[in-house]
Amino acid sequence: MQRMLSGIKPTGELHLGNYIGALRNFVKYQEDYEMYVFIANLHTVTIPQDPKEIHKYLIDAIALYIACGLDKDKATIFLQSDVLEHANLGFILSCHSYEGELDRMTQYKDRKQKGETGLSVGFYTYPTLMAADILMYDADFVPVGDDQKQHVELARDIAERMNNRYGQMFKVPKPLIAEVGARIMDLQDPARKMSKSDQSDKGCIFLLDSPKTARKKIMSAQTDSVNIVQFDTENQPGISNLLTIYAALKEITIKEAELIFKDYRYGDFKKEVAQEVVELLEKLQSDYTEIINSDIIEKTLTKGKEKAQKIASAKLDQVLTTLGIKI
Ligand code: AMP
Ligand code: TRP
């Protein structure tokens, strides 16, 4: 069975973009792949966080992963810092990456270009830790949103470089970008992707938003004056985004969604989209509450750690031995 791996950085409440672009796909993949899913808690430290706040996000993220349908008996679900080998391999990979490569990473480059100062060294080198997360498990596929594709490509480059230098060491992973919903946009500003680091949260639907709030956000989503429900990201980015959300949640194509709504007025169309979103949230939140009040999280992480660590410690051993630094 081919191996798949992905992680989510819990620096905020999970939102609909995370669900459509990542979580719901993981649940499908666990059926067909040997699936590794982890909470990238070390990655959160790259930018300053409030410890209390981050702790809540962390717990919520795990509970929501499970509420979405990830199952400890099908997938290996673990906390990154429970497997200390990640940081260790991350350092070794950072020594096999070049400054020029990290300078080109969009996340860093964008913030630098905006004139931001005081970025941590960890923020700069974090793509090498992400490469370690991936290469550690010899993953065949890494499902990510398109914003993370560049980081998976760096992992490929590092793997190829080290394989050339030392002999076969890592599997070269492939990024896997979901077709529908790879990029859910902000409801208020559909030129930007829906994001948890959003200043105003009107454009972002959080998975723990009350159904009432979520409905309101959809109903006030930005549209246009064309007045036809059709997929045209250039001239109708808001409507196209709502069509994408609907199609993703209904598991139909955008073409099919377009057909359903071709004679709808915007208000009625939005009501239908809102209804889909609300149904999803109600189901997730009821499962979430049950999970939070049980020992499922603890059991899941204990089992995940055990399995992940076995692989990670063997891999790190192999790498240290190959580099000649193990005694
Ligand atoms: P992040 O929230 O940026 O840590 O991303 C976690 C996962 O969700 C990654 O696979 C992202 O690519 C995906 N993701 C984040 N935001 C969106 C979005 N607006 N649309 C689709 N996928 C997203
Ligand atoms: N960097 C990713 C993000 O910000 C999270 C992440 C960390 C990840 N390690 C990973 C994703 C390994 C896929 C594989 O969303």
Side-chain angles (χ1 to χ4, degrees):
M1 208 188 254
Q2 287 188 301
R3 205 175 268 180
M4 188 175 274
L5 172 136
S6 200
I8 280 199
K9 187 173 64 167
T11 43
E13 293 290 350
L14 292 176
H15 53 75
L16 192 63
N18 295 134
Y19 178 78
I20 293 177
L23 282 168
R24 83 188 163 117
N25 301 322
F26 297 172
V27 176
K28 284 189 218 141
Y29 297 143
Q30 71 183 350
E31 305 294 338
D32 302 321
Y33 294 88
E34 191 188 333
M35 183 77 189
Y36 290 77
V37 181
F38 70 97
I39 312 288
N41 62 340
L42 290 177
H43 288 261
T44 67
V45 190
T46 55
I47 23 188
Q49 308 288 349
D50 172 346
K52 272 212 188 85
E53 211 174 70
I54 201 79
H55 192 76
K56 179 179 177 340
Y57 292 152
L58 194 67
I59 302 285
D60 281 354
I62 303 166
L64 282 167
Y65 260 71
I66 300 170
C68 287
L70 272 184
D71 179 344
K72 69 171 173 23
D73 298 322
K74 291 182 180 164
T76 304
I77 306 163
F78 65 101
L79 188 63
Q80 186 187 27
S81 67
D82 273 349
V83 185
L84 296 175
E85 286 82 354
H86 283 238
N88 210 323
L89 183 62
F91 177 74
I92 290 168
L93 300 194
S94 76
C95 299
H96 291 80
S97 314
Y98 298 102
E99 225 180 324
E101 286 177 310
L102 296 184
D103 287 342
R104 283 196 296 278
M105 294 291 122
T106 316
Q107 262 179 12
Y108 171 77
K109 206 169 78 182
D110 284 357
R111 291 177 76 151
K112 200 72 188 165
Q113 267 169 3
K114 279 186 199 139
E116 221 173 302
T117 53
L119 288 170
S120 74
V121 174
F123 179 76
Y124 177 67
T125 59
Y126 112 85
T128 61
L129 177 59
M130 178 159 164
D133 299 336
I134 298 168
L135 300 184
M136 184 77 90
Y137 298 91
D138 285 316
D140 295 283
F141 296 105
V142 184
V144 283
D146 59 1
D147 60 318
Q148 295 293 323
K149 195 168 165 226
Q150 193 187 26
H151 295 150
V152 181
E153 272 154 11
L154 176 73
R156 285 172 62 88
D157 291 344
I158 297 173
E160 277 167 357
R161 179 174 306 147
M162 292 181 76
N163 288 346
N164 282 336
R165 182 146 158 202
Y166 302 104
Q168 184 60 33
M169 187 177 259
F170 299 118
K171 184 159 245 169
V172 181
K174 290 192 186 68
L176 196 78
I177 313 288
E179 250 173 55
V180 177
R183 208 171 163 86
I184 299 296
M185 309 310 280
D186 186 284
L187 298 171
Q188 289 300 320
D189 176 6
R192 276 196 343 210
K193 89 171 182 148
M194 186 178 282
S195 160
K196 56 200 165 194
S197 50
D198 198 2
Q199 298 300 349
S200 131
D201 65 7
K202 280 206 196 104
C204 179
I205 295 186
F206 296 99
L207 298 181
L208 295 177
D209 269 350
S210 75
K212 195 173 153 206
T213 303
R215 202 181 290 275
K216 224 191 213 156
K217 287 180 182 174
I218 297 272
M219 294 311 291
S220 57
Q222 196 202 82
T223 54
D224 52 68
S225 52
V226 178
N227 287 323
I228 302 170
V229 179
Q230 60 190 356
F231 192 77
D232 175 355
T233 48
E234 196 158 311
N235 301 306
Q236 300 180 250
I239 289 293
S240 303
N241 190 38
L242 292 174
L243 273 170
T244 305
I245 292 173
Y246 186 87
L249 296 185
K250 278 293 215 193
E251 306 207 23
I252 59 175
T253 63
I254 290 184
K255 272 261 160 297
E256 287 167 328
E258 252 183 329
L259 261 174
I260 296 174
F261 294 113
K262 71 178 171 27
D263 298 322
Y264 273 61
R265 285 193 308 220
Y266 283 177
D268 294 329
F269 166 55
K270 281 177 164 179
K271 270 190 204 150
E272 296 288 326
V273 180
Q275 187 55 29
E276 276 313 307
V277 172
V278 163
E279 277 173 27
L280 169 75
L281 297 192
E282 282 173 346
K283 161 87 178 65
L284 284 183
Q285 290 173 14
S286 125
D287 292 348
Y288 163 88
T289 308
E290 202 178 302
I291 292 159
I292 285 283
N293 295 309
S294 73
D295 61 358
I296 296 177
I297 292 184
E298 197 190 320
K299 279 194 176 138
T300 302
L301 294 185
T302 305
K303 184 165 181 183
K305 171 182 174 173
E306 210 173 284
K307 191 146 174 243
Q309 194 155 46
K310 248 190 220 139
I311 298 175
S313 90
K315 177 54 80 179
L316 186 64
D317 221 67
Q318 178 206 339
V319 171
L320 295 180
T321 304
T322 308
L323 295 186
I325 58 172
K326 168 129 185 137
I327 297 179

